[in-house]
């Protein structure tokens, strides 16, 4: 029989339910915002063109550099791609001095970064670095110096940037404790390249990298399918996704028509953390409202605030505090020791993190979700150790487990909305190697509605096409029928939720099956796998793509910066 405490916990948990109908409505709205974001700037889904027009297939070879400025540390890597889906990686990491995070000029910070690249090359690739210096001192040409051993570098820069080319991006604002006003509005790739040139380093800043795009690239290289990876997604402290889109659909790139004619596809950075900021389909409990109100950015990143690890712990904390405020519920409170199976009374430390904003980390939710021990001993130990709640009763632990399960389940089902919408948008479910092909409805209607700004109609037309697609493929729903490699839709994911939160991916799959345009047959074709180190391996692969596309630029001295093709090296001709 349910006690008053558990009865109330069940009522609170029910507030986090996200039904199959809500999932379907969420997909419809996500499709609408996708189409809108491809047509114009300033939309809820930014749909940022990345200028990355190809994904790897695992056969790529070469030695590349990657650097990652994502916070208070700066990482330098060299990645040797072996051409057989494997790679070798060397890396170093250094803390950014606090004074450089708030320097008066951008030069101070970027000169420091360039110096770290030089130290890395001298330490790990000294033979090639010294050979480059000797050639530069002894050779010249009328049209500038050309070096076959230039390192192509991918620059992961995890701050808001307006990207205007594969290696061009203007800084919008600083976050994470950085504040160098002079850098605002400047091309951060050019800032780094200038300092690299002053040190005469054999390095070309070939690509500006978003870590989500890097996740997609890393997944496609290490786990290539015949169709290539469709989505790279991060579900960790934050959440975001990137996917492969047909360039013809990116109509907001009106000034780059020639570029569009030269390529079929481009990776789009959705910035889906801001999906449905207007809350037309997202759930909105009292705890979501309070979290948003007390956040540093009220009214924005509303999807992220319901899905990502940074916020799930705070949602749980707010729900628990609300229950504590009701004396009739008796959460973490005993009348006397006889009502507590520990034969004690529960107490909460005055300085408990339960009373502090952001006091509960998402790792606590993972511990709770994973505990199936007798009497929930692990949960009760975590309450004591992490939150200063001693002698919590079995009912207390059961109540916490109910809330954690509901909050985590909702996050995973919302994640499925984003992934499912991108899969539906791709129309890859309409193709089957078994010969079952859609007698496809023309997609002209979709393009016409998008270009006319009728985004609801465009989303509806997309769903109509997919509904016609699903029927001929229902045989694939049978688990006895193997899925051909050609039919796989590959998704690369990274982040603490998909790696460590128990059952997160299973809940995503359950919700994907509830989307009519995907169903059981479509869900079986979706392969979701971990893709690590998007800012390292992924950045190197984007540098490779950049090196293959277009002529190399010259620096201020007329020196060629790199080659039209990525350099190839003997893996034994330098320190590895």
């Amino acid at each position: 029989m349910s006690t008053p405490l558990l009865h109330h916990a069940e009522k609170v948990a029910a507030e986090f339910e996200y039904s199959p109908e809500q999932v379907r409505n969420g997909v419809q709205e996500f499709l609408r915002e996708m189409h809108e974001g491809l047509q114009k700037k300033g939309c809820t889904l930014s749909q940022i063109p990345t200028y990355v027009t190809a994904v790897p297939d695992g056969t790529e070879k070469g030695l590349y550099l990657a650097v990652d400025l994502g916070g208070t540390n700066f990482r330098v890597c060299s990645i040797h791609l072996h051409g057989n889906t494997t790679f070798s990686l060397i890396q170093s990491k250094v803390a950014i001095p606090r004074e450089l995070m708030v320097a008066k000029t951008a030069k101070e910070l970027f000169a420091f970064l360039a110096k770290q690249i030089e130290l890395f090359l001298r330490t790990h690739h000294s033979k090639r670095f010294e050979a480059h210096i000797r050639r530069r001192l002894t050779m010249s040409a009328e049209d500038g110096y050309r070096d076959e051993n230039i390192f192509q570098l991918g620059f992961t820069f995890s701050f808001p940037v307006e990207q205007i080319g594969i290696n061009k991006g203007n800084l919008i604002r600083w976050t994470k404790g950085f504040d160098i006003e002079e850098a605002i509005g400047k091309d951060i790739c050019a800032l780094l390249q200038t300092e690299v040139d002053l040190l005469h380093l054999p390095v070309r800043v070939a690509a500006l990298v978003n870590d989500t795009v890097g996740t997609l690239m890393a997944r496609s290289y290490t786990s290539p399918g015949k169709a290539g990876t469709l989505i790279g997604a991060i579900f960790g402290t934050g959440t975001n996704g990137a996917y492969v889109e047909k360039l013809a659909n990116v109509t907001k790139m009106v000034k780059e028509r020639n570029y569009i004619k030269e390529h079929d596809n481009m990776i789009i950075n959705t910035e889906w953390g801001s999906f449905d900021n207007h809350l037309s389909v997202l759930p909105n409990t009292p705890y979501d409202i309070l979290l948003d109100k007390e956040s540093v950015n009220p009214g924005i990143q509303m999807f992220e605030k319901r899905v990502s690890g940074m916020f799930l712990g705070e949602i749980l904390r707010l729900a628990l505090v609300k229950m504590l405020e009701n004396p009739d519920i008796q959460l973490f409170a005993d009348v006397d020791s006889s009502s507590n199976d520990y034969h004690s009374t529960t107490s909460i430390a005055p300085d408990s993190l339960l009373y502090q904003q952001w006091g509960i980390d998402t790792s606590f939710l993972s511990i709770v979700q994973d505990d199936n021990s007798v009497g929930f001993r692990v949960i009760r130990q975590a309450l004591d150790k992490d939150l200063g709640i001693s002698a919590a009763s079995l009912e207390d632990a059961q109540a916490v487990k109910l809330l954690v399960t509901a909050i985590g389940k909702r996050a995973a089902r919302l994640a499925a909305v984003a992934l499912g919408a991108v899969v539906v948008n791709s129309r890859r479910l309409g193709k089957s190697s078994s010969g079952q092909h859609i007698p496809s409805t023309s997609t002209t209607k979709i393009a016409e509605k998008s270009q006319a700004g009728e985004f609801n109609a465009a989303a509806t037309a997309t769903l109509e096409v997919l509904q016609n697609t699903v029927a001929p493929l229902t045989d694939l729903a049978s688990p006895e029928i193997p899925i051909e490699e050609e039919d796989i839709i590959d998704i690369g994911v990274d982040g603490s939720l998909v790696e460590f939160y128990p059952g997160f991916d299973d809940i995503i799959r359950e919700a994907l099956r509830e989307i009519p345009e995907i169903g059981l047959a479509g869900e079986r074709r979706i392969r979701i796998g971990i893709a690590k180190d998007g800012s390292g391996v992924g950045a190197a692969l984007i540098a490779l793509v950049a090196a293959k596309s277009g002529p190399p630029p010259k620096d201020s001295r007329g020196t060629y910066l790199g080659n039209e093709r990525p350099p190839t090296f003997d893996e034994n001709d330098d320190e590895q």
Side-chain angles (χ1 to χ4, degrees):
M1 184 176 178
S2 179
T3 65
L5 170 56
L6 293 182
H7 177 69
H8 192 87
E10 288 167 354
K11 288 177 62 178
V12 175
E15 296 183 65
F16 293 98
E17 289 181 2
Y18 196 63
S19 69
E21 181 181 3
Q22 288 174 302
V23 169
R24 292 190 287 271
N25 290 340
V27 169
Q28 174 82 30
E29 174 62 16
F30 201 101
L31 283 166
R32 187 195 71 79
E33 293 185 24
M34 285 180 72
H35 287 293
E36 182 181 46
L38 293 174
Q39 311 308 314
K40 59 184 180 180
K41 296 181 179 180
C43 300
T44 306
L45 278 188
S46 298
Q47 295 286 77
I48 300 169
T50 67
Y51 299 87
V52 180
T53 55
V55 296
D57 61 11
T59 64
E60 292 78 7
K61 296 181 180 180
L63 184 63
Y64 297 86
L65 291 182
V67 297
D68 180 8
L69 182 64
T72 57
N73 292 313
F74 180 63
R75 185 170 69 130
V76 185
C77 312
S78 63
I79 298 94
H80 191 121
L81 304 171
H82 299 305
N84 59 356
T85 76
T86 68
F87 61 88
S88 302
L89 182 146
I90 303 172
Q91 65 178 334
S92 67
K93 185 182 291 187
V94 63
I96 305 292
R98 174 62 190 168
E99 61 270 21
L100 293 183
M101 297 172 65
V102 292
K104 291 185 178 180
T105 66
K107 179 179 176 61
E108 296 171 69
L109 173 63
F110 284 89
F112 172 82
L113 303 184
K115 188 64 178 178
Q116 302 312 308
I117 297 172
E118 180 186 31
L119 293 173
F120 180 87
L121 292 177
R122 288 187 182 276
T123 301
H124 299 290
H125 300 285
S126 59
K127 291 181 181 178
R128 187 169 303 116
F129 179 75
E130 290 166 3
H132 166 80
I133 297 299
R134 287 196 299 271
R135 285 193 297 274
R136 182 175 286 275
L137 293 174
T138 58
M139 296 177 63
S140 63
E142 291 183 1
D143 61 347
Y145 180 74
R146 189 180 185 93
D147 189 338
E148 295 296 321
N149 284 344
I150 290 284
F151 284 93
Q152 308 290 337
L153 180 145
F155 185 11
T156 301
F157 186 77
S158 301
F159 299 88
V161 168
E162 180 188 9
Q163 189 159 358
I164 54 177
I166 197 164
N167 67 343
K168 297 179 185 296
N170 298 327
L171 178 64
I172 297 174
R173 64 182 178 275
W174 290 104
T175 57
K176 307 173 189 177
F178 283 77
D179 186 15
I180 307 172
E181 186 175 355
E182 192 248 0
I184 303 297
K186 291 188 176 180
D187 180 356
I188 54 98
C189 288
L191 290 172
L192 181 58
Q193 187 70 66
T194 296
E195 299 306 321
V196 163
D197 292 344
L198 289 174
L199 294 176
H200 305 294
L201 303 182
V203 173
R204 176 197 173 205
V205 182
L208 176 60
V209 180
N210 171 276
D211 55 356
T212 311
V213 180
T215 296
L216 191 160
M217 299 292 279
R219 172 68 182 178
S220 194
Y221 178 79
T222 58
S223 183
K226 295 190 177 180
T229 298
L230 172 65
I231 305 172
I234 292 177
F235 297 105
T237 304
T239 184
N240 190 20
Y243 73 101
V244 179
E245 178 64 88
K246 290 192 177 300
L247 253 176
N249 295 333
V250 192
T251 56
K252 66 182 175 183
M253 295 178 67
V254 290
K255 296 180 180 179
E256 294 157 294
R257 280 290 144 199
N258 290 334
Y259 190 91
I260 292 175
K261 291 177 182 177
E262 294 171 5
H263 303 280
D264 294 327
N265 300 310
M266 180 180 286
I267 297 177
I268 298 295
N269 169 20
T270 66
E271 292 295 338
W272 70 33
S274 62
F275 165 60
D276 195 32
N277 278 342
H278 47 287
L279 299 178
S280 65
V281 295
L282 286 178
N284 201 31
T285 69
Y287 323 107
D288 296 308
I289 294 170
L290 186 56
L291 181 147
D292 179 58
K293 179 182 178 182
E294 296 181 351
S295 70
V296 296
N297 54 351
I300 63 175
Q301 298 298 102
M302 302 303 265
F303 182 72
E304 185 169 73
K305 287 173 180 174
R306 288 152 177 78
V307 173
S308 73
M310 179 177 180
F311 300 99
L312 299 188
E314 181 65 4
I315 292 173
L316 172 64
R317 191 191 71 82
L318 291 170
L320 291 173
V321 168
K322 186 68 174 177
M323 291 176 66
L324 278 172
E325 291 173 353
N326 186 340
D328 296 331
I329 295 174
Q330 292 191 343
L331 174 66
F332 306 136
D334 304 300
V335 176
D336 55 52
S337 61
S338 65
S339 61
N340 186 313
D341 60 321
Y342 273 178
H343 303 294
S344 182
T345 55
T346 308
S347 63
I348 305 175
D351 60 349
S352 170
L353 293 177
L354 186 62
Y355 300 127
Q356 299 179 29
Q357 187 181 27
W358 314 115
I360 298 181
D361 188 81
T362 300
S363 61
F364 175 82
L365 279 74
S366 295
I367 292 170
V368 171
Q369 187 62 34
D370 198 39
D371 183 22
N372 295 303
S373 63
V374 176
F376 288 142
R377 292 190 304 271
V378 175
I379 294 176
R380 294 156 91 173
Q381 290 168 3
L383 286 168
D384 190 355
K385 178 184 175 182
D386 297 346
L387 300 183
I389 302 173
S390 63
S393 69
L394 175 59
E395 283 189 62
D396 291 330
Q398 290 171 325
V400 171
K401 176 96 171 185
L402 281 169
L403 267 59
V404 165
T405 298
I407 292 167
K409 183 176 181 179
R410 187 186 72 165
R413 290 176 67 80
L414 286 168
V417 167
L419 295 175
V422 176
V423 169
V424 169
N425 179 74
S426 74
R427 297 195 285 280
R428 290 192 185 183
L429 288 172
K431 302 173 183 178
S432 169
S433 62
S434 65
Q436 301 183 81
H437 219 69
I438 319 273
S440 181
T441 303
S442 170
T443 57
T444 303
K445 180 180 178 182
I446 299 172
E448 289 176 348
K449 295 297 183 183
S450 295
Q451 291 169 7
E454 300 175 24
F455 305 115
N456 276 320
T460 301
T462 301
L463 291 174
E464 288 173 355
V465 171
L466 267 295
Q467 286 165 350
N468 291 332
T469 298
V470 172
L473 302 179
T474 52
D475 287 348
L476 292 178
S478 172
E480 288 81 25
I481 298 178
I483 304 296
E484 300 293 333
E485 182 65 27
E486 294 89 340
D487 295 333
I488 293 293
I489 298 172
D490 192 69
I491 298 174
V493 294
D494 193 10
S496 56
L497 287 176
V498 287
E499 277 201 85
F500 305 119
Y501 194 90
F504 197 82
D505 54 344
D506 293 332
I507 300 170
I508 287 176
R509 287 192 170 279
E510 177 186 60
L512 289 174
R513 292 192 290 270
E514 295 169 0
I515 300 170
E517 301 77 30
I518 296 177
L520 180 59
E523 182 269 325
R524 288 192 66 228
R525 292 175 57 187
I526 296 171
R527 178 172 61 195
I528 302 175
I530 297 294
K532 296 300 294 178
D533 204 7
S535 63
V537 178
L541 287 159
I542 296 173
L544 179 153
V545 171
K548 286 183 176 180
S549 59
K554 295 180 180 181
D555 67 14
S556 57
R557 301 184 303 277
T559 301
Y560 281 102
L561 298 172
N563 299 302
E564 295 185 25
R565 62 187 186 283
T568 57
F569 302 122
D570 181 347
E571 62 182 305
N572 298 315
D573 69 357
D574 213 342
E575 296 84 348
Q576 293 292 321

